[in-house]
Amino acid sequence: MPPARLTVGLKIGTVLLSVYAALALSSLSSVYDAGLTIEVGSRLLAPSAAHWFGTDALGRDVLALVAVGTRTSLGVALAAVAAGLLCGVPLGLLAAARGGLADDALARAGDLVFAFPSLLLAVLLAAAAGPGAMTAVIAIGVFNVPVFARLVRGNALSLMQRDFVMAARVAGRSTAAIAFDHLLPNVATLIVVQATIQLSLAIVAEAGLSYVGLGVQPPDPSWGRMLNEAQTLASSAPWLALFPGLALALAVLALNLVGSAMATHLDPRSRAGSP
Amino acid sequence: MSVGSRRGDRSAPALALVLWAALLFSPTASAATNMITLGLALEPPNLDPTATSAEATQDVVYGNVYEGLTRITEQGRVAAGLAQSWTVSDDGLRYRFNLRRGVHFHDGTPLTAADVRWSLDRARAAGSTNPLRELLAPLQAIHIVDELTVELELERPVADLLTYLGWGNLVILSPATATRAATAPVGTGPYRFVEWRKGDAVVLELNPDYWGTPARLQRVTFRIVPDASSALAALLAGDVDGYSNFPAPEGVAALEHDGRFTVSIGSTEGETLLAINNARPPFNDLRVRQALAYAVDRRAIIQGAMYGYGQPIGSHFPPHDPAYVDLTARYPFDPAAARALLREAGYPNGFALTLRLPPPYYARRSGEIIAAQLAAIGIRVRIENIEWAQWLEQVFKNRDFDLTIISHTEPMDYDIYARPGYYFGYSSPTYAARLAALSRTRDESSRLRLLSELQRQLADDCVNVFLFELPKLGVWRHDLHGLWREAPIQGIPLAAAYLDGPAGHAAAATITRSSGGVFTALALVIFTLAALALRRHVSARHLLGRSITLAVTLLGASLLIFLLVNVLPGDPAAYMMGLNASQSAVANLRAEYGLDVPAWQQYLQWLAALAHGDLGLSYTYRVPVADLVAQRLTVSLPLALYALCLSIALALPAALVAARRPGRALDSLLMGIAQVGLAVPNFWLGLLLILAFSVHLHWFTAGGFPGWQDGIGPALRALTLPAVSLALPQACILARVLRAELGLALAEDYVRTARAKGLSSWQALCRHALPNAMIPALTIIGLQFSFLLAGAIIIETVFALPGLGRLLFQATAQRDLIVVRGVVLLLVAAVVLVNFLVELLYAVVDPRLRDTGAR
Amino acid sequence: MTVRLQVRDLSVSLDGHPLVTAIELEVNAGEVYGLVGESGSGKSMIALALMGLLPAGATVSGSVRLDGHELLGADEATLCTIRGRGIGIVFQEPATALNPLLTIGAQVTEGLLANSAATPAEAAMRAAAVLARVGLPAASIPPTRYPHELSGGQRQRVAIAIAIAARPALLIADEPTTALDVTTQAQILALLRTLASEDGMAMVLVSHDLAVVAESAHSIAILRSGRIVEQGRLTTILTRPAHPYTQQLLRDYQPPELLPRLTEPTEVLLRAEDLIRDYPLPRRSFFGPTPTRRALDGVSLRIAAGERVGLVGESGSGKSTLVRALLGLDRAQSGTVRIAGEALYAVGAERLRPLRRLVQVVFQDPYGSLNPRHSIGRIVAEPLHLYPERLPRPERERRVTAALEAVGLGSANLRARPEQFSGGQRQRIAIARALVVEPRLLVLDEAVSALDATTRLQILELLARLWRERGLAYLFVTHDLAVARAVTDRLLVMHEGRIVEQGATARILDRPEHPYTRTLVAATPLFDRALARRSAEDSPE
């Protein structure tokens, strides 16, 4: 891949992510409170100077909704990926360092989770636990656990064969010490790259769940829920479908750009010189 | 070692090809004329109106397929039905009905007094699941006077008996066909049942032997369009000709200005309430309830949630009824008064409460606005959106709620306020006494006075906050006439409906012949792939080992699924029986479903049945789950294959062209497009595609599925936009993976060797790099296939396709647990099986993975 | 003699950096021309430039004529016909040079079909004939085999068959034997020589190994940093090198003097008895026992204090398994290992630490044996965990600095990361890590194999000094007999999981007794022996 384009991609991605971070942070303050109040009189106004993104069916400002939706959407996605990381990474390290029964059990459990097509488990969980942000976090998080566990296990296993791990064993280090001193730092960058990818997947999954009504519930705005509400009004008020969708697509794009830039930067194969 | 003889190896793919061809070129049915398609928001759980109170069942069959002794007119009056006339004894305890002569059921048997007695006896029998069973309690005996005369004997007067007999729950069935009424109703009505495509449509056709004025439509299709957004799209795209009650009020204004449609706003029997748990503090304090009533601005709710449609009400009574008293001014919108009352009641700073909202749009939308309005007087509202089944379980059955919003759509249902243990938690001896008096009273002016007293008492006691009468938003083609504006009763009677001129319609309704075709198709895909794989050396050892892993995974999955599904809250039986069902009827149904044994027994029974290939019988549809699944697979499987083919067809050339000159402009451009493309969520893409190609360009239909019997063309057309929405992001992923793998393969020594042999760069790319890059790409393609099969859930919602995903959603919402289990297990099995096939394909592509034991 | 290849003023640069500058070559029919240089000297770039297969972004100037036709600047279509028919090439790595998804027959046939009018059937027949010619007759190795079903040597024969199938005028062999064992190497070199002389091909042999070139080439060019420093007849240059770089290269290549042993060994440091280790093979039938391969088959050995023991054998002979078993990284299923009299497998974790302090290890790959995320201070200090008590920080730093001083890196920054050091320096760091706990036996697992000649010599000198100063014992695992001769007193020869011969190093290398040892010694390209033979060939002319 040409380095020039990636740098541009990385820049675009970083700028976009900063914008989202700013939106999410600003929504913690009260700047959007006025825009979020239900004002039946000013419903379905097209984008204008007063309402840059227009208003929705209850007269709320779409920009405010998108901004607050950033917080919920990113929040759910971040929590889900964090949950996956926190469970998956130690499990993967354990499986790689220990091997044997622990490894087999983890592999089978991972197979089982992967056998459920994406969203299917979420639908079941949402039906069981009731829809909501927490359900979405769990349903998406459950999928992330084996992703990280497998990534860590696979790479840690190949690291286990490397001479520096052998040297550490000759140096009398325990399995746990090797896992945390030698394996973890060497898979950390891979984990970070994978986490950005998982984050973008989680954002889409959250939006999908909310879109079909299984994710974040009213009155909390989320991009997916806004898209669902926009669907009926798509022909008369297309801005309702346009802006949350764009926000969603750009967030995913930004994460993908940053993720692939990092992956390319870190991949020794792409850094290798001429043959 | 090689499995199978050489001969077998060769003939297998050939046989598969022949079978494929046979499947694709099967004969197609022809279309008919003078027919309409009406949209329904909910699918009927079954088609027996005497076994369920589901409104959708009445919508389809009441007055069309089935008729009662009396019928209710559009104005809500009782008129002659199957009984031409009747006499009532002076004490109101004996009703004698004279049946019409020459009435035949659709199967040709004549209607007799015996049928009437049998039908009413069935409805009031001990194990009956009829929602009106308890209202029939005063019915003591039914006498057959002669062939066409029947007499009902009561132990006490029931003033509304003639009205009850006009309701859908008490229609007349024939004993010979009643057992099949749930799936194949046979009645006396102007239309007869043709077919029910689960999740998609119910089709009726003209009954030429009707006793009365024959209907004027040749064929009526009720198409299920479950979500509001698809409803508008389906109407605009001409997929449906109209809605008796359009589920998306936000779209109605636009339709009113659209010359293609008639908009006819009427009223229903649906009183929409902010229901209050009167038994729970602080709501047991009248002042708190009154504060709630003052705090709610009905006008803003009707404006914001209903887009201006719906009439405000002040008590539990429909405005179109002659006995209606306007009590909306009893509690005008007055936040100051509300705050004062709260202070008085001891809540100067308000309090917190939970508002549980069932799924209908009016509830969810009104809920948001009410939450905002209550916040203005200091009441902090936590909104909790729940499924129907949870609503029935938590709110209706267990009375575990503070507030909820619900529309009570049954006619004359003011008796619920006198029911002991009803979920409002309201109990008033005065009210019960007035109701009992009403039941005894047949004098019209006394009845009006009593009804007025009932209304006033409910308003004074502020049992609930009465919001508005649910409107009936009739929207249909301007050339369609004869549909009811008002809805005094559940049902969409179409006896008088007709189209102007020699109308013909494109949305042809037809017959699904066999669902077995899908399983054949599925088996063929697997067979073809397996045959290909086995042609080369895949060892029995490998197959056996993988099969064992496969079986273990499936067993684990089945247990996990059962555990998850079994902890789902909600009772399928309660859901099926609806709001007015009695506890005993629900218990009967639970026993019928086999839900009365311990969970582990249910699991083992399920497993045992699975071993015989039996997925069980659907709770709601009362048909084998396997048939339901097979029907849905005719949509989901072709859609997945279509999308997969599109994805590969787009990704492969793009990746090859990009990899040919790495780092050049074309490479950057294509991969840049792919980068952007894979960020676009498929359901948003679907929305945009509908906007562009259906709403504006009219190139494709906005949703729905015509079935395969009209030939491959229309079906593929219907699947094209969904397939594109699914395929584009997948193609982007595949293209990027393939491009990256091609890049790695191109850096390999063997490509250099190939170039050194004298192969051109294109030859080296296609003959050496591509096959090697395909090995990792195969994994992605396998994952994509399972994603496309199961992950199309959302796209099926966007495009209103009757696929597996929608079946799963519906079944989950309806607590049809056995269907949920079956579908989830099938999808999991599909994933596992596809992975298995991908592994076999590895061996086909990669000789290193073939067994070399024979050498 | 006809000149087949004529290269004039060939320069290659990649993204503006010159890789190869002003190369002049002339190769006659039947002549073998050796291109010698260390890695990074640009020799492979010349080979690719001749083929017109330079990586994207490379610019090339000068002139390359094959049988009088100019190749530089020719269009792609012409080059496609030149490749294969005009020039064939054999690459270094037989494991990756063949497409794993195609049969070997198909891969040879493909080249024949690419630029000729032959029918597929004709091409397949010719391909079978070519495969037979390179020593892969259809009777034993049918053309329907896939590359993964062949040994490394057989795969390299297939690569040669692909290169010579269309009878090219020029054959380029780019490090053709580097990845092979010595016995196979000898056969492949002999095959290449035979083919070149039979077909009258010009051959360019690219290698970093002077001995390999000395065995085969008629003329030679010495490359350094992309330039030819000296070229001419092989015997002339190797016997009377004119350029200082050539002189240094020849000097570094000579094995150092074997230093005299200080004392007679008395105390036995390590003793292994009857070690057996099986590895499971993939199952063939689902039921029944798992098949195994015996990697160690009753190995016994002992190493005394201050003794330098060599362990030689080809890849797959069981050397690595033995090393792992001796270090306790992998447990043999039967047999014992005793360190200073204590049974390694029997003691618990606490008693294992003092034993591990006695025996430390240095691995082959200087890039893989140091954790890239750790500073060298941390890396060298790691074995200090073997002390029961945690050493105070100043003491740890003192020991680490002392160990680094001992290997000649006394001034190194302890916070630096491995990537800031060269391969030779990293190997010194690895030795320092082993020395920090003051072991008495150092296991050197191919510790100098990945280094170039100059660095290798420096490390060998370092090891000799440490031996002198500290009386360390070495177990020196290597496949290189010249290295073994240079630094070991006693030699163990391993073959198929057994030690087939052992004794004083000089005795074994000069008078091998076991048939396998004899083959091994005969196949090893020895510089002096090769030079002597070539000089003898030259003198009658």
Side-chain angles (χ1 to χ4, degrees), chain C residues 131-249:
Chain C
L131 282 170
R133 190 168 171 226
V134 299
L136 299 173
S140 55
I141 311 283
T144 52
R145 287 273 173 100
Y146 287 94
H148 72 280
E149 296 168 316
L150 306 182
S151 70
Q154 288 169 331
R155 280 185 228 175
Q156 199 62 319
R157 286 173 193 269
V158 175
I160 293 170
I162 291 172
I164 64 155
R167 294 185 174 263
L170 170 68
L171 178 65
I172 303 171
D174 186 358
E175 302 269 13
T177 59
T178 309
L180 304 175
D181 281 325
V182 278
T183 45
T184 320
Q185 165 170 297
Q187 295 161 6
I188 294 293
L189 285 175
L191 174 67
L192 284 172
R193 284 196 298 267
T194 314
L195 291 171
S197 68
E198 278 179 12
D199 287 8
M201 281 187 288
M203 180 166 142
V204 173
L205 177 64
V206 179
S207 181
H208 70 286
D209 190 337
L210 267 180
V212 164
V213 177
E215 294 247 340
S216 306
H218 304 101
S219 302
I220 183 172
I222 308 286
L223 275 156
R224 186 193 192 189
S225 309
R227 289 178 183 275
I228 292 178
V229 295
E230 193 166 3
Q231 67 191 123
R233 287 207 63 79
L234 175 95
T235 43
T236 318
I237 290 185
L238 294 189
T239 48
R240 292 182 299 280
H243 194 276
Y245 178 72
T246 317
Q247 290 162 1
Q248 188 209 339
L249 202 64

Side-chain angles (χ1 to χ4, degrees), chain A residues 37-40 58, chain B residues 274 291-305 332-336 338-339 342 353 355 365-381 383 403 405 465 467:
Chain A
T37 36
I38 291 174
E39 195 67 64
V40 176
L58 295 176
Chain B
L274 173 63
L292 293 177
Y294 278 122
V296 167
D297 180 2
R298 295 191 186 87
R299 197 193 45 79
I301 295 170
I302 293 172
Q303 203 60 41
F333 174 53
D334 187 349
R339 275 191 292 268
L342 275 188
L353 60 78
L355 174 59
R365 289 183 194 152
S366 306
E368 276 191 72
I369 300 173
I370 286 177
Q373 292 176 350
L374 293 185
I377 63 160
I379 297 179
R380 297 171 295 283
V381 178
I383 289 181
L403 301 181
I405 295 175
V465 179
L467 300 174

Side-chain angles (χ1 to χ4, degrees), chain B residues 221-293:
Chain B
T221 304
F222 289 94
R223 166 157 291 162
I224 295 105
V225 185
D227 71 319
S229 30
S230 323
L232 184 65
L235 203 60
L236 291 175
D239 296 344
V240 297
D241 297 313
Y243 275 88
S244 170
N245 193 358
F246 189 66
E250 63 268 39
V252 175
L255 291 168
E256 273 182 304
H257 302 295
D258 191 330
R260 291 175 292 170
F261 301 101
T262 303
V263 173
S264 169
I265 314 287
S267 115
T268 66
E269 286 285 332
E271 292 81 27
T272 311
L273 319 171
L274 173 63
I276 305 173
N277 191 345
N278 285 250
R280 182 183 276 189
F283 310 105
N284 51 1
D285 186 333
L286 175 63
R287 289 167 300 188
V288 172
R289 298 202 299 271
Q290 285 173 329
L292 293 177

